[in-house]
Amino acid sequence: MVKICCIGAGYVGGPTMAVIALKCPSIEVAVVDISVPRIAAWNSDQLPIYEPGLEDVVKQCRGKNLFFSTDVEKHVREADIVFVSVNTPTKTRGLGAGKAADLTYWESAARMIADVSKSDKIVVEKSTVPVKTAEAIEKILTHNSKGINFQILSNPEFLAEGTAIQDLFKPDRVLIGGRDTPEGQKAIKALKDVYAHWVPEERIICTNLWSAELSKLAANAFLAQRISSVNAMSALCEATGADVTQVSYAVGKDSRIGPKFLNASVGFGGSCFQKDILNLVYICECNGLPEVAEYWKQVIKINDYQKSRFVNRVVASMFNTVANKKIAVLGFAFKKDTGDTRETPAIDVCKGLLGDKARLRIYDPQVTEDQIQRDLTMNKFDWDHPLHLQPMSPTTVKQVSVVWDAYEATKDAHGVCILTEWDEFKTLDYQRIFDNMQKPAFVFDGRNIVNADKLREIGFIVYSIGKPLDAWLKDMPAVA
Ligand code: NAD
Ligand code: UDX
């Protein structure tokens, strides 16, 4: 029986390994982590992450060929294939701070693998890492190997949160990079055989190591670039009376462009896009390519601009001040169908409104009060460092309260900001909400999910990203 061990039981390691276990009953899969609460949660009825379909997959395999454990060394020692799916956050200090990937967790995992191994192993980079990381990992492993043979493969993960299980069941492609040596090719085949249990062969792409590593950064940069492009257009739409939904539909109909990832929004969030683009920018700078670095930096700049543009619009529309006004925030997660708040645009929007002394009442169906308070008190980039792997008691932001119902959040509010596209926000009783709000009552739709015309009929003043502005908003211009 082939044994797989995955180091890192997070958003990638947990679902990916659960699906491998489900699709490959002949393989024993152990997912290990240094976080005791995280492993305890994977072994309980309350999984540590919310992901549609995940619970079902875990329940089918857990205790049969899928195990979650904190005994990292034992499972690594016994494995034939070791996936490393630890976090690779942006560095907060020292050389490259604010841009470069922090490979501390990766390096410590690699040193531990070298330390405890007693048999040959394939080591798979599942985390997103800078191009050429495999070379560094190879050096760590071979210099400490005691004669054991390690083959390094790059097998980046392309799943998106909220659709992780579907993405894993039917991936657009699986990418495997390895060395062009007989041992390297043998390792590629071994990993390909795992995926071939359920992924059609033509969807498994094999490349050299550096192409695989760079393709992951490139794919995320391209996806984020589309969002920044449409968001940049959304600002121009508001200035000219064009409608961004119509523009992106017309543009996306070009089969060379395609319709996906062209939804204007308050900005992209999530743990990957910003981190990976900053990393790409840093790699370009280190390789003497400042023009290329500058090009990709602009994707982040437009994203930041979009978030501050939204805050300015809220404040400007409400007579240029939100001091002491109640603002209801609907949605805090970085997208629907996840409880994940990493780099969510809601953090910057809420901080911007708090900076203008607003009082916020926040509701999200999947995010806890603790998490929201922690996010609003944390420094940029601090969220993905070990201090935060364990639960900590947050410093409370006094102007913020968190409630468990959209009606409670909007009661007595002066304005409503929709920051996540949860389906339930589309079908709220907006007449009831209007009746219980202060007047004039505002809705700022950061995801273009409400029917603005219907809301205007009720009496709301409505701002929708990239849509023609009504008279009120035109009279209260927001300076970006
Ligand atoms: P995560 O923070 O949810 O999980 C990482 C886990 O690794 C944590 O539970 C942490 O405790 C554990 N860990 C860290 N060091 C360890 C060590 N030395 N030994 C054992 N466990 C250790 O992160 P994630 O979202 O799963 O992302 C993991 C990687 O995958 C990152 O490089 C990320 O960029 C990449 N990625 C993420 C996504 C996504 O949607 N989240 C998608 C594709 C790729
Ligand atoms: C992303 C990539 O899609 C995935 O392939 C990679 O493995 C990890 O990073 P994820 O961050 O989980 O996945 O979600 P994604 O669906 O890409 O959304 C990212 C952000 O962009 C969200 O905040 C989402 O709301 C926003 N978005 C997405 C838009 O604003 N407009 C769009 O058209 C699409």
Side-chain angles (χ1 to χ4, degrees):
M1 196 181 209
V2 175
K3 283 194 176 180
I4 287 180
C5 172
C6 176
I7 306 176
Y11 285 85
V12 168
T16 311
M17 293 302 126
V19 168
I20 290 182
L22 182 77
K23 299 291 186 182
C24 313
S26 59
I27 295 179
E28 189 180 295
V29 183
V31 191
V32 297
D33 204 293
I34 41 175
S35 166
V36 175
R38 213 162 207 190
I39 290 297
W42 278 111
N43 283 319
S44 75
D45 284 339
Q46 193 68 47
L47 300 184
I49 60 177
Y50 170 70
E51 191 62 63
L54 174 64
E55 197 176 317
D56 187 43
V57 175
V58 170
K59 279 190 174 154
Q60 286 186 60
C61 319
R62 195 171 55 191
K64 291 182 190 148
N65 65 333
L66 176 67
F67 303 92
F68 295 93
S69 168
T70 49
D71 197 343
V72 181
E73 297 187 359
K74 169 180 177 284
H75 289 285
V76 169
R77 194 179 306 118
E78 291 174 355
D80 306 295
I81 303 176
V82 180
F83 285 82
V84 184
S85 185
V86 299
N87 37 331
T88 48
T90 305
K91 272 184 90 170
T92 52
R93 283 156 200 236
L95 189 66
K99 275 189 267 189
D102 184 346
L103 294 178
T104 316
Y105 314 108
W106 231 110
E107 185 174 335
S108 85
R111 287 182 186 279
M112 183 271 300
I113 296 170
D115 236 28
V116 306
S117 293
K118 295 201 161 66
S119 57
D120 293 354
K121 294 194 194 313
I122 297 170
V123 177
V124 184
E125 287 177 349
K126 196 49 143 170
S127 303
T128 305
V129 289
V131 58
K132 290 279 181 181
T133 298
E135 198 168 65
I137 300 303
E138 257 172 5
K139 282 186 183 140
I140 291 171
L141 290 171
T142 46
H143 278 81
N144 296 282
S145 77
K146 298 163 276 180
I148 291 164
N149 185 275
F150 292 106
Q151 279 304 314
I152 320 292
L153 297 178
S154 165
N155 172 222
E157 184 48 60
F158 294 98
L159 68 78
E161 287 176 33
T163 53
I165 298 301
Q166 281 319 306
D167 295 342
L168 289 163
F169 280 175
K170 279 188 162 200
D172 286 344
R173 78 305 210 182
V174 165
L175 181 55
I176 304 175
R179 286 279 184 197
D180 196 14
T181 57
E183 299 80 22
Q185 293 302 306
K186 201 173 145 203
I188 289 178
K189 178 163 185 320
L191 187 56
K192 203 174 162 184
D193 286 347
V194 172
Y195 285 107
H197 280 85
W198 79 99
V199 181
E201 179 152 5
E202 65 277 10
R203 290 200 176 203
I204 306 179
I205 305 171
C206 300
T207 66
N208 76 29
L209 276 168
W210 323 131
S211 302
E213 288 179 336
L214 187 54
S215 298
K216 175 63 197 176
L217 295 180
N220 274 354
F222 275 50
L223 288 167
Q225 186 252 25
R226 281 174 76 95
I227 303 168
S228 278
S229 295
V230 77
N231 281 345
M233 284 299 161
S234 76
L236 190 54
C237 286
E238 287 168 32
T240 57
D243 179 330
V244 75
T245 310
Q246 295 173 352
V247 172
S248 59
Y249 181 76
V251 170
K253 274 289 174 192
D254 186 324
S255 59
R256 294 167 301 175
I257 297 173
K260 293 184 182 167
F261 265 66
L262 289 180
N263 290 325
S265 66
V266 60
F268 61 73
S271 63
C272 294
F273 283 171
Q274 174 168 283
K275 161 178 83 76
D276 294 346
I277 294 176
L278 289 172
N279 183 7
L280 186 65
V281 165
Y282 184 70
I283 295 167
C284 293
E285 286 170 351
C286 292
N287 280 283
L289 302 168
E291 288 82 0
V292 185
E294 211 42 52
Y295 174 77
W296 289 111
K297 223 186 261 179
Q298 202 59 28
V299 174
I300 305 281
K301 280 194 190 163
I302 287 289
N303 200 46
D304 289 339
Y305 165 72
Q306 190 74 347
K307 290 180 275 188
S308 59
R309 206 167 74 75
F310 187 86
V311 172
N312 291 349
R313 182 69 77 186
V314 175
V315 178
S317 311
M318 299 173 85
F319 313 103
N320 234 13
T321 178
V322 286
N324 281 322
K325 288 181 185 157
K326 282 188 199 157
I327 309 282
V329 173
L330 299 187
F332 199 83
F334 82 98
K335 62 190 276 197
K336 73 170 182 177
D337 290 339
T338 177
D340 195 353
T341 61
R342 296 179 293 177
E343 293 294 349
T344 174
I347 295 177
D348 286 337
V349 170
C350 288
K351 281 186 174 176
L353 295 171
L354 289 169
D356 220 289
K357 299 214 169 88
R359 286 184 289 151
L360 305 183
R361 203 177 290 164
I362 304 175
Y363 164 66
D364 186 289
Q366 283 297 332
V367 186
T368 61
E369 174 160 14
D370 252 24
Q371 186 62 50
I372 289 172
Q373 287 287 358
R374 204 176 309 155
D375 286 335
L376 294 178
T377 46
M378 224 180 270
N379 291 327
K380 212 168 167 56
F381 305 128
D382 268 354
W383 50 268
D384 205 8
H385 287 266
L387 183 63
H388 308 296
L389 293 175
Q390 307 296 330
M392 4 165 256
S393 56
T395 323
T396 305
V397 184
K398 293 201 177 66
Q399 291 152 267
V400 172
S401 59
V402 178
V403 295
W404 282 99
D405 176 43
Y407 298 104
E408 182 63 26
T410 50
K411 198 161 158 250
D412 291 328
H414 295 78
V416 179
C417 294
I418 301 173
L419 301 185
T420 313
E421 72 281 21
W422 286 104
D423 288 336
E424 66 178 71
F425 299 156
K426 294 179 191 166
T427 53
L428 291 170
D429 180 349
Y430 281 97
Q431 181 68 57
R432 178 177 160 197
I433 288 177
F434 180 80
D435 292 344
N436 288 322
M437 280 178 66
Q438 312 258 1
K439 309 293 177 322
F442 297 83
V443 168
F444 302 93
D445 183 0
R447 298 288 183 167
N448 287 347
I449 57 162
V450 297
N451 183 332
D453 290 338
K454 274 203 179 141
L455 263 59
R456 287 192 185 110
E457 274 169 30
I458 293 173
F460 282 106
I461 294 157
V462 186
Y463 166 70
S464 310
I465 299 266
K467 304 269 188 173
L469 301 176
D470 59 19
W472 183 288
L473 296 165
K474 275 190 195 151
D475 285 348
M476 304 270 187
V479 182

